[in-house]
Amino acid sequence: MGGAGGWWRGKTTPAKVETYTRWSFHFFALIEVTTIGLPAFGKAGPAPWGWLTALVVAHAALCALTASRALDWTRGLRERPVRLLWLLGAASYAVAVTALVLREHGGPDQVHGAAASVFVGVLAFGAGTLALGARDRRRVAAVVAGFACGAGAVSVPLGMPGLAAPVMGCVVLVSGGFLAAASIFSVWLLNAVYELDEARETRARLAVAEERLRFGRDLHDVLGRNLAVIALKSELAVQLARRERPEAVEQMVEVQRIAQESQREVRAVVRGYRDADLGAELTGAQGVLSAAGISCEVTGDTTGLPAEVQSALGWVVREATTNVLRHGDAGRCAVGVRIREGAVVLTVENDGAAPARAGGGGNAAGSKSGVAGAGGSPDRTGAAGTVVREAGLPAGPGVGSAVPVGTATGPGASAAEAAGGLVSGSGGGAADGVGTVGGSRGGGGGGAGSGLVGLRERLAGVGGTLEAGPVGADGFRVVASVPLSGRTADPSVSGVTS
C-alpha cells in the first residue's frame, strides 16, 4: 500500500489528472459489460446468448484500447489511430446487428428486451468512444448522428416494428450524445490542466527574467556613471604619466576613491535585495502556498523582533516554502512563530513529503556530506526516528565576499539570485518563498551556501540552530531557533498573525 501511495504522490498534478481520465474510460468498459452483457446473459440463457455476451466483452475491451490510443493522440504521444477507430465502428454495428438477429429468433419477450439493450448500449458506447478520435465538435456531432441514423436504418430490415425503429434511433442519439459529451469534456479538462501547468512555468520564467532586468537596471544606474568617470580619469592619468606630470598620481587617487565608492554602492544594492523581512516572508509564503492549492496556516507574532533575527528566519521561511512546493505533494503546511525561553522559534511542518533519495538533493536529503564538508556536525538520529541536523557550522564572512550565483527559478526569484552575477553573502530562495537557487554558493570567501546547509550558516551567524527531518509517515518539519538575549528589538516591524 505504501508503494502505491508513493507512486501516486510522485506524480505531478497534470499526470494525476491524466491517470484519472484514462482509468475513467477503462471503467466505462466495465460498465458496458456489467450493465449490458451480463444482464443479457442472465435473461436469455447461455445459448446462443453466451456468444453475444462474449462479443459485448470483446467490444468493451476494444473501446478501452481505442480510448487509450485516442488519449495518446490528443496528448501528441502517437499518431491518430485511424484503423482502430474504423475497427471499433464496424465492431459496434456488427455486435448490434447480431443482437437484432438473435432477437428475431429468440422467442420470449425477455429475449427481445435483452437484445434491445445490447443493441442500444453497444452503439452508444461505440459512439462515445469514437468521439475521442474526432478533431472538433462538428465531427463529434456527425459521429453521434450517424450512429443514431444507422441504428434506425438497420432496425427496420431486421424486424423492428415501424414505431420502434425511430425510438431506437432517438435512444442511441441521446445516450451516445451523453457519452460523447463526457468524453470531449474529459479531454478538454485534461488539456486545460496541462496548459495551466505550462502557463505557470512560463510565468515563473518571465518573473525571473523581469527580476534580472530590474536588477540589471539598478546596477547600471549605480555603475554606469562611475565607470565612465573611472575610464576617463584613467586615460587622463596615463597621458599625464607619459609626460611625467605629478598630477597623474592625483588622478589615480581619484580613480581609487570612485572605485571604492562604487563597490559600496553595489553592496548596498545587493544587500537591499537580499535582506529578508520575516513578516513579509510569512505573508508571501501563505499566499504562494494557498495559490498552489496547499492549505497554509500561519500563527505567531513578529512584532519587535530584531532585524538580524528577522532576516535569518525569513530565509528559513523562503527555503522551507520552496521545499514544500518543489518536493513531495503537500496538502497542508503549518508555519508558527513563538518566543520560548528567551529565543524565537520558527516551525514549518508539512505533509506529503517525498521520500529521501540517495545522493542528496531536495529537502533534507543529502545534506550530511555538505554539513561535514563545511566544518559542521553530521546528522544524528533523534527520538521516534527523526533526523536532527546540527547547526554547528562556522559562519563565513558573508558580506563582502564575492561568490558566483547559479540560476534562479520560480516566480518572484530574488534579484541577486536571478542576476547570475557576483553578489555578496548568500541565500537559498526567492523573495516571496518560491523558487530555488541552483549552482554553487561556495567560494573563496566562505560565504553561506544554499539549501539547509546555507540556512545553518546564516543561523549560526546569529547564534541560532536548525533542525530538519521527517515526522510521521509522510510529514517533514523544519525548526529554527534564534536566541534573543543581548539584542535590541526593532519597533518598526509589523506583526503577522493568522
Side-chain angles (χ1 to χ4, degrees), residues 227-375:
L227 290 177
V229 175
I230 288 175
L232 181 62
K233 287 186 173 292
S234 298
E235 183 179 357
L236 178 59
V238 169
Q239 298 297 331
L240 292 175
R242 288 176 178 175
R243 299 175 185 177
E244 299 182 353
R245 298 281 297 273
E247 290 87 350
V249 176
E250 298 178 1
Q251 294 298 326
M252 291 308 300
V253 171
E254 184 66 13
V255 168
Q256 183 182 24
R257 184 192 65 81
I258 296 175
Q260 292 174 347
E261 180 183 353
S262 300
Q263 187 180 23
R264 288 192 297 269
E265 290 179 351
V266 170
R267 288 176 179 173
V269 170
V270 172
R271 189 178 301 112
Y273 273 105
R274 299 181 67 82
D275 282 346
D277 176 74
L278 182 56
E281 295 299 330
L282 290 173
T283 303
Q286 186 176 31
V288 169
L289 292 176
S290 299
I294 301 173
S295 175
C296 181
E297 179 184 6
V298 178
T299 58
D301 192 354
T302 64
T303 304
L305 293 180
E308 63 270 21
V309 174
Q310 296 177 61
S311 181
L313 295 181
W315 282 105
V316 175
V317 174
R318 291 184 184 183
E319 180 65 22
T321 305
T322 297
N323 287 342
V324 172
L325 289 171
R326 294 179 65 89
H327 306 292
D329 186 18
R332 177 193 60 82
C333 181
V335 184
V337 179
R338 66 185 186 279
I339 298 177
R340 183 179 61 184
E341 298 178 357
V344 55
V345 179
L346 171 69
T347 304
V348 181
E349 182 174 347
N350 64 277
D351 62 356
R357 294 172 296 181
N363 241 337
S367 296
K368 182 175 182 178
S369 59
V371 175

